[in-house]
């Protein structure tokens, strides 16, 4: 099983409403309840790649932050269009260097994310130099 910890407030409204309906059927309106705290989801390993491709953004972000991040999972998440997922991947010290190089090639990275990527423990000297050159070009 693969465990994901997700902030309840980041779940899509439909997911929060479905959970509330299951917990208190017909008793509370979804807009009257404040969702806070963390939700732990244990999912079978076999569905992790599918969730990485098509799961809700909070699930993909939790995967990118996971201590169990594998190279295969990181490779999938490196292509994610959501900036929060990519930022979580950059912040995870388990993200492999090859995946960092893949992320560094994205045109949509902000200077802040590029700087964070450059400081990653698995960022090679060559990749760091490439990022530095890109940051200089962005500021010119």
């Amino acid at each position: 099983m693969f465990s994901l910890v997700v902030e309840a407030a980041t779940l899509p409204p439909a997911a929060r409403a479905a959970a509330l309906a299951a917990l208190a059927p017909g008793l509370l309106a979804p807009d009257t309840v404040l969702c806070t705290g963390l939700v732990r989801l244990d999912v079978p390993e076999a569905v992790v790649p599918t969730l990485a491709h098509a799961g809700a953004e909070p699930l993909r972000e939790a995967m990118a932050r996971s201590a169990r991040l594998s190279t295969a999972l990181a490779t999938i998440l490196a292509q994610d269009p959501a900036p929060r997922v990519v930022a979580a991947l950059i912040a995870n010290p388990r993200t492999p260097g090859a995946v960092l190089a893949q992320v560094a090639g994205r045109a949509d990275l902000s200077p802040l994310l590029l700087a964070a990527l450059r400081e990653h423990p698995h960022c090679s000297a060559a990749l760091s130099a490439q990022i530095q050159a890109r940051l200089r070009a962005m500021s010119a």
Side-chain angles (χ1 to χ4, degrees), residues 48-135:
V48 170
T50 302
L51 285 175
H53 281 291
E57 183 179 336
L59 293 180
R60 299 188 323 269
E61 183 181 353
M63 287 181 197
R65 282 191 318 248
S66 174
R68 294 188 52 210
L69 183 69
S70 66
T71 300
L73 181 57
T75 301
I76 294 168
L77 294 170
Q79 301 167 25
D80 199 291
R84 288 175 55 128
V85 174
V86 176
L89 196 60
I90 291 170
N92 189 335
R94 294 185 178 270
T95 302
V99 175
L100 294 176
Q102 182 182 353
V103 171
R106 292 175 59 130
D108 62 341
L109 291 183
S110 69
L112 184 62
L113 285 179
L114 282 169
L117 182 59
R118 191 167 165 253
E119 297 301 319
H120 194 281
H122 295 139
C123 184
S124 68
L127 181 57
S128 179
Q130 289 174 2
I131 293 169
Q132 183 62 33
R134 187 168 164 195
L135 285 168

